[in-house]
Amino acid sequence: MAPVTTEQDYDRLTEVKQFDESKIGVKGLLDSGITTIPRFFHHPPENLPGPKPKNRPRLTIPVIDLSGDRSTVVEQIRQSASTLGFFQIINHSIPVTLIDSAVGSVKEFFEQPNEYKMRFYHREAGKGAAYSTNFDLYQSKAASWRDTLQVRMSPVEPDWNAVPEMCRAALAEWDKAVVGLGEELMLILCDGLGVKCGDDWADVEAVHGAIIINIGDLLQMMSNDEYKSVEHRVLANPAQGARVSIAVFFNPSNRDKLYGPFPELISTTNPAVYREFKYDDYMRRFFTKELNGKTLTNFYKIDNTKE
């Protein structure tokens, strides 16, 4: 049972540091048999999801079949990227068996004893693989109840000796497949550029074998607001057992180049919404802000109202 603390004697930084230095993660806390969740995981009431409004239609993320007519697929993706900023794809180029293998290998890692996982627990993302709890653990007002295994991959392969053994083969195959799919999606998104949900939350209903796509800040800024990077959240898992997912971030390989709206989208009637910036500057700001679902797009916005 965790000791009871008051506002006066609670030292969040010390408690966070003790947890981080233990290198056991959220899974280790669960395996230890804790009966109360440590205080630094508690979110203030204003950050918790409220009850869903009654008599309001339920929004869900669209599922798009990539095997359909090309022009139809382009329009469906353009519409989803311009409004919700999220969509799922099926009948894509990645076999379901490969998805299951990649997810299974990561799940196998998280099921390993603490002593094994501790070998990979650190916060230096460049070292092949980094296992940790919350990259913003020390900046956030409240920690998220999750562990992460981060592996930096293409275009430069990681140091595979620094990646957990059970993940190496599956993640290497996954990386090859997902890079090809990413290039295909970029072609579709580029085809869709050239046209335009509300305040409600849309649900993502899991479809086995489907891949969830969401538009990031960079694509919103490079599309000059044609595509939307929207606020998103993950709710507590209501089901028994662990929830395991693999996230892939497609980032520019040239970090020194200036990025901004595509010149082809800018005109006197459609001026640039964002100023140019270096990718390194964006990433530095991203990793020093609290991970709260909000974007950095406003920081790079141009005030076009000034004469």
Side-chain angles (χ1 to χ4, degrees):
M1 179 71 71
V4 176
T5 59
T6 64
E7 288 292 339
Q8 290 75 21
D9 60 14
Y10 177 63
D11 186 342
R12 182 185 185 279
L13 180 59
T14 297
E15 188 173 314
V16 165
K17 195 170 183 220
Q18 287 174 345
F19 166 75
D20 198 35
E21 290 177 349
S22 74
K23 300 185 176 183
I24 65 172
V26 167
K27 181 66 165 55
L29 285 179
L30 286 172
D31 292 344
S32 72
I34 62 164
T35 56
T36 58
I37 295 176
R39 187 165 168 179
F40 61 89
F41 285 105
H42 294 195
H43 286 254
E46 61 269 19
N47 286 359
L48 299 178
K52 290 190 176 182
K54 294 180 180 178
N55 303 321
R56 187 177 291 180
R58 182 168 174 248
L59 285 174
T60 57
I61 300 300
V63 179
I64 299 172
D65 186 344
L66 288 193
S67 68
D69 173 74
R70 171 77 178 194
S71 60
T72 301
V73 170
V74 168
E75 175 56 23
Q76 288 175 331
I77 288 181
R78 185 206 63 77
Q79 179 68 23
S80 297
S82 301
T83 52
L84 287 172
F86 268 80
F87 54 94
Q88 296 192 73
I89 54 173
I90 57 173
N91 290 323
H92 44 73
S93 57
I94 303 182
V96 175
T97 52
L98 178 52
I99 296 174
D100 290 343
S101 175
V103 172
S105 72
V106 174
K107 187 172 183 179
E108 183 180 350
F109 166 76
F110 284 116
E111 294 296 333
Q112 296 300 307
N114 288 332
E115 294 70 26
Y116 176 82
K117 290 185 291 187
M118 284 177 181
R119 292 163 41 193
F120 303 94
Y121 194 101
H122 60 84
R123 298 188 175 276
E124 300 173 52
K127 286 187 174 180
Y131 164 55
S132 65
T133 299
N134 295 212
F135 78 79
D136 63 340
L137 182 64
Y138 290 92
Q139 289 85 31
S140 64
K141 295 182 180 65
S144 298
W145 188 250
R146 68 153 187 268
D147 295 326
T148 300
L149 178 66
Q150 181 177 351
V151 185
R152 185 168 289 176
M153 304 188 76
S154 292
V156 179
E157 284 197 356
D159 175 4
W160 287 109
N161 290 324
V163 177
E165 295 92 326
M166 69 285 297
C167 297
R168 293 172 189 169
L171 291 186
E173 288 301 310
W174 164 257
D175 184 53
K176 291 176 190 173
V178 84
V179 166
L181 178 60
E183 291 172 350
E184 181 185 356
L185 284 170
M186 284 305 297
L187 287 174
I188 294 174
L189 286 164
C190 285
D191 282 350
L193 278 176
V195 269
K196 293 218 177 283
C197 230
D199 296 324
D200 293 334
W201 291 99
D203 296 326
V204 179
E205 294 184 344
V207 176
H208 186 224
I211 294 177
I212 301 167
I213 311 294
N214 76 278
I215 303 299
D217 288 358
L218 287 183
L219 193 51
Q220 173 170 331
M221 291 187 281
M222 293 173 76
S223 72
N224 208 40
D225 269 356
E226 287 293 329
Y227 294 150
K228 307 299 182 189
S229 173
V230 298
E231 183 179 359
H232 48 282
R233 65 184 183 181
V234 178
L235 301 182
N237 185 9
Q240 290 291 329
R243 177 171 56 195
V244 179
S245 59
I246 297 179
V248 179
F249 295 86
F250 282 95
N251 299 313
S253 56
N254 187 340
R255 292 177 174 246
D256 293 322
K257 178 182 172 183
L258 284 173
Y259 292 90
F262 291 120
E264 298 88 342
L265 302 178
I266 306 305
S267 67
T268 53
T269 57
N270 189 42
V273 178
Y274 301 96
R275 60 184 171 86
E276 291 187 321
F277 57 91
K278 284 191 174 182
Y279 180 66
D280 265 349
D281 178 72
Y282 171 83
M283 291 305 294
R284 178 176 58 80
R285 295 180 188 281
F286 180 83
F287 281 110
T288 53
K289 79 179 183 73
E290 180 184 351
L291 181 63
N292 59 5
K294 293 186 169 51
T295 73
L296 283 172
T297 53
N298 285 340
F299 181 82
Y300 297 102
K301 265 195 171 170
I302 297 172
D303 185 356
N304 287 316
T305 62
K306 293 181 179 176
E307 301 248 338

